[in-house]
């Protein structure tokens, strides 16, 4: 790639990274300040803070890979260094989708209107078990990511450059096939929490439809707080699903680029697309959360009004 293309791509990546860091750091800072002030943290704030921290880590990994690929391409000349980055990217990737699934389940249990005994039991218990669920998600993500570290020293980039038929070529083919199988399985595992988010979304739609129908039967002609809560939760879930789909496709391109020679441009463009998900979704969550939205508006007023009063968002 030319220097002009490299510089342009790096500027875009740096901009997306900065926006994502600011948005996710804002979520974490506001919730941590509220935690310190009230000596306790709400379940939704704990989920949002965990999601923000995991996305900050994911942003750092993606931007590190982008700059390394452009500025220091020889760093990945050994399989060990590639596997280290692969492990942490896989770990943060699974953490993000599992934490987002937890958020979808939480919205569903708190907002949906069903009277099934099991649903009511889960609705009553969810606040108590959220910390344990998040811990299980962390442990599960680490366990899922461990297979990436197998064959720690395999040099895939050297394997790609081998053109003549040698014993090395055969070993490379076997190792690459094994690596592809592992990556495919790990990527398919993300479909589990993604399916949970989809189920939560469709159940929210069902709950909204039932609630709207009841209002029509009671001749109520205006939208109540329950409908507004349903709509807000559905916007958060569907925005996550759409953005994650674009991120997931980009992640697949980056994953299998190790086996495609001269694919650096495709990798960097894919990483730019991948950066959109952890960067933009944080602001969607901020605008959809009353406390975070008030704190964000107060901060803007403080920044653009010299000597302005920074109101308490709590």
């Amino acid at each position: 790639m030319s220097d002009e293309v490299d510089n342009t791509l790096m500027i875009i990546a740096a901009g997306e990274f900065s926006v994502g860091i600011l948005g996710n750091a804002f979520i974490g800072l506001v919730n941590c300040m509220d935690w310190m002030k009230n000596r306790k943290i709400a379940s939704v704030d704990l989920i949002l803070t965990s999601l923000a921290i995991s996305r900050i880590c994911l942003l750092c990994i993606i931007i590190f890979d982008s700059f390394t690929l452009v500025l220091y391409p020889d760093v990945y000349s050994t399989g060990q260094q590639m596997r280290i980055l692969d492990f942490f990217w896989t770990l943060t990737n699974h953490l993000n989708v599992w934490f987002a699934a937890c958020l979808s389940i939480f919205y569903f249990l708190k907002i949906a209107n069903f009277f099934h005994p099991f649903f009511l039991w889960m609705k009553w218990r969810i606040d108590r078990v959220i910390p344990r669920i998040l811990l299980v998600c962390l442990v599960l993500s680490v366990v899922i990511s461990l297979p990436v570290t197998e064959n720690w020293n395999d040099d895939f980039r050297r394997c790609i450059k081998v053109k003549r038929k040698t014993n090395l070529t055969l070993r490379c083919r076997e190792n690459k096939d094994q690596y592809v199988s592992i990556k495919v399985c790990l990527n398919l595992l993300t479909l589990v929490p993604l399916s949970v988010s989809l189920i939560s979304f469709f159940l929210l739609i069902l709950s909204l439809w039932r609630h709207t129908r009841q209002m029509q039967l009671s001749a109520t002609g205006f939208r109540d707080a329950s409908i507004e809560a349903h709509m807000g939760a559905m916007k958060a879930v569907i925005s996550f699903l759409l953005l994650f789909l674009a991120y997931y496709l980009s992640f697949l391109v980056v994953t299998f680029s190790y086996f495609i020679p001269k694919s650096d441009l495709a990798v960097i463009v894919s990483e730019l697309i991948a950066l959109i998900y952890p960067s933009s979704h944080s602001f969607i969550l901020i605008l959809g959360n009353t406390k975070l939205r008030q704190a964000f508006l107060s901060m803007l007023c403080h920044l653009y009004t010299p000597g302005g009063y920074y109101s308490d968002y709590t």
Side-chain angles (χ1 to χ4, degrees):
M1 291 184 294
S2 64
D3 292 338
E4 292 79 6
V5 174
D6 286 346
N7 294 334
T8 302
L9 294 175
M10 290 302 97
I11 291 173
I12 296 174
E16 291 181 333
F17 171 78
S18 301
V19 171
I21 290 294
L22 289 174
N24 288 289
F26 177 82
I27 293 175
L29 181 62
V30 170
N31 287 331
C32 287
M33 289 176 60
D34 188 58
W35 189 359
M36 295 174 60
K37 180 179 179 180
N38 299 322
R39 304 294 181 180
K40 62 180 181 179
I41 184 170
S43 297
V44 64
D45 294 340
L46 182 60
I47 298 174
L48 289 172
T49 302
S50 302
L51 187 58
I53 293 173
S54 66
R55 284 178 174 171
I56 289 174
C57 296
L58 179 62
L59 285 165
C60 292
I61 291 170
I62 296 176
I63 198 70
F64 175 80
D65 187 63
S66 299
F67 275 85
T68 302
L69 190 61
V70 172
L71 302 177
Y72 307 102
D74 293 336
V75 168
Y76 293 149
S77 60
T78 65
Q80 181 176 353
Q81 292 160 332
M82 185 188 74
R83 291 303 180 94
I84 292 174
L85 180 71
D86 232 4
F87 170 78
F88 285 107
W89 195 339
T90 304
L91 173 62
T92 53
N93 180 48
H94 280 272
L95 276 177
N96 269 272
V97 68
W98 277 107
F99 287 162
C102 290
L103 185 63
S104 300
I105 295 173
F106 183 85
Y107 282 152
F108 162 67
L109 292 176
K110 288 296 184 180
I111 296 173
N113 295 314
F114 294 103
F115 299 100
H116 192 278
F118 181 69
F119 173 81
L120 295 176
W121 179 81
M122 291 179 61
K123 190 182 186 76
W124 175 68
R125 291 277 299 175
I126 186 64
D127 286 314
R128 302 182 184 181
V129 300
I130 280 295
R132 280 174 282 181
I133 291 176
L134 294 177
L135 182 60
V136 169
C137 291
L138 174 60
V139 174
L140 186 62
S141 298
V142 172
V143 172
I144 291 174
S145 304
L146 287 177
V148 176
T149 61
E150 292 186 10
N151 296 327
W152 189 261
N153 293 310
D154 286 341
D155 186 352
F156 290 116
R157 293 185 183 268
R158 183 163 63 96
C159 287
I160 293 171
K161 297 178 181 178
V162 174
K163 296 182 179 179
R164 63 183 183 276
K165 295 182 178 180
T166 62
N167 292 332
L168 177 62
T169 306
L170 179 60
R171 190 176 69 86
C172 287
R173 187 181 300 111
E174 292 175 351
N175 290 335
K176 285 193 291 185
D177 290 342
Q178 180 183 2
Y179 181 73
V180 169
S181 300
I182 291 174
K183 295 299 292 184
V184 168
C185 292
L186 294 181
N187 287 323
L188 289 177
L189 285 176
T190 58
L191 296 179
V192 176
L194 194 62
S195 299
V196 172
S197 297
L198 276 172
I199 293 172
S200 300
F201 174 70
F202 288 122
L203 289 175
L204 275 173
I205 293 178
L206 177 61
S207 176
L208 176 61
W209 175 77
R210 293 179 58 184
H211 182 74
T212 305
R213 190 163 175 264
Q214 291 175 357
M215 290 183 61
Q216 291 174 348
L217 292 175
S218 61
T220 303
F222 57 89
R223 288 165 47 142
D224 61 359
S226 179
I227 291 182
E228 296 295 338
H230 275 81
M231 296 300 295
M234 288 169 58
K235 289 177 183 178
V237 175
I238 197 170
S239 62
F240 157 70
L241 293 174
L242 293 176
L243 289 171
F244 185 79
L245 178 61
Y247 165 81
Y248 188 76
L249 295 176
S250 303
F251 179 75
L252 290 179
V253 173
V254 176
T255 298
F256 294 104
S257 65
Y258 297 121
F259 313 111
I260 305 174
K262 298 181 180 180
S263 60
D264 290 352
L265 179 60
V267 172
I268 296 177
V269 172
S270 298
E271 290 181 344
L272 292 179
I273 298 174
L275 282 168
I276 297 175
Y277 158 65
S279 298
S280 60
H281 193 245
S282 59
F283 289 95
I284 296 174
L285 294 176
I286 290 173
L287 296 177
N289 183 280
T290 302
K291 181 180 70 174
L292 294 175
R293 183 173 64 251
Q294 291 178 352
F296 186 72
L297 294 176
S298 297
M299 182 189 68
L300 292 180
C301 291
H302 179 70
L303 291 176
Y304 290 102
T305 305
Y309 175 70
Y310 186 76
S311 62
D312 188 3
Y313 56 83
T314 60

